[in-house]
Amino acid sequence: MPKKTPRYLAVEILTTITKQKSYSNLALDQVIKKEHLNPQDAGFLTQLVYGVIQHEYTLDYYLKPFIQKPTKMAVWVRQVLRTAVYQLVYLDRVPEHAIFYEATEIAKQMGHVGTAKLVTAILRNLQRTGLADLNQIESSLERLSITYSVPEWLVEKLQADLGIEKLTQLLTTINQPANASIRVNTRLNSVADLLPQLQEQFENLVPSQIASVGLVAQGGHLASGPAFEAGSYTIQDESSMLVAPSLQIQPTDQVLDACAAPGGKSTHIATYLDAQQGGRLVALDIHDHKVRLIEQNAKRLHVEDVIEAQALDARKISTKFAAETFDKILVDAPCSGLGLMRRKPEIKYSRQPADLINLQKIQIALLNAVAPTLKVGGQLTYSTCTIVPEENQQVITAFLAQHPEFTVVPVPLELPLTQNQATPFVQIYPDDYQTDGFFIACLQRKA
């Protein structure tokens, strides 16, 4: 079989994501490495995969009038059609004849001549008839849902939480390409020293406006090159780089990261600790393979001397750690991930309203479990990569009601957050700084 084209690979990846419920970023990285794609093909493939997932509802709305038996259509055939329509609608520079030809060829290779004829007929009919007018959708909620490809329940909820103006800004942003961002490993080098070195490889790399150790580029595959392999930096979103500084860690601190895998925040926390002065970070995760991932990241970033990774459900922490063991605790809780819709667009389709309440119960249970292990005067930081109050402010309110010995303190920041509307907490939305959505709360134990 001839070398697979980016369009063919996109259909394969999209089909896998749909069937296996896998994450787009992981599936993409795996295929790009396996197929040894050059930067141009890797970029086009990435654009196709993310674009189709981001606009799935819109693409299906455009295709609906031309598919007679949608429930009987194979998943891969629908992905061929979505990929073709995405290019027709959103990619101005791609010639129509190339889109139609390759869609037909992919249908032939994956199926047979009959499938290829069906794909061609549907695309030709859509071309002749034109696209349905989204403005003709009567219900405002359905119109927003289809236009921005977000489930209707989530549109309704976010509108109630944020208001229509903020909602529209948010929805407009989440379907734009996510920036690529890295965290400089200050154990090995400074931002000022590393930036000019990396700009030789990544020309559009600039300092983050919200994270003092962050560098940002508009796209690009930054997880490669000698500096990355040497541990001079790691891939991390800008908003999550605010967590470690919020803990105000001292070199001698005993720190707990209760939900640590894959280790991005753990390895950041570790840069503040000094093993010779007794500084230590206990990094927990439920799964053994994820603990190994934490250890691998710690080794690559040269902070393994202060990180002790263990397989343990943080809700059972009292079985292994005594009361008042830690100076600082981070609970980066499992959450719905709705702040990641830009980077992992499939998340918005997989969540249901009940998830928010079920996750809230786990989040509160985690806080309740780790609270006794914090020393009096110590600080606990709670963070999530979601944007809904059920998993953020409401969790903190519920925890404080059960733990009067804790009080909220303002989140310490290294750089000002002009868009933060949640003081004393931090609540970042994807449209604020073109980052992941994120929430941070800091609590101090008084007694």
Side-chain angles (χ1 to χ4, degrees), residues 279-291:
R280 178 182 68 140
L281 168 67
V282 175
L284 304 182
D285 193 86
I286 297 177
H287 305 289
D288 287 325
H289 71 279
K290 290 190 175 181
V291 169

Side-chain angles (χ1 to χ4, degrees), residues 187-198:
R187 266 278 183 104
L188 301 185
N189 35 234
S190 68
V191 174
D193 288 339
L194 188 61
L195 177 56
Q197 296 176 39
L198 292 179

Side-chain angles (χ1 to χ4, degrees), residues 371-382:
T373 66
L374 185 66
K375 295 176 182 177
V376 174
Q379 183 182 308
L380 186 157
T381 288
Y382 172 80

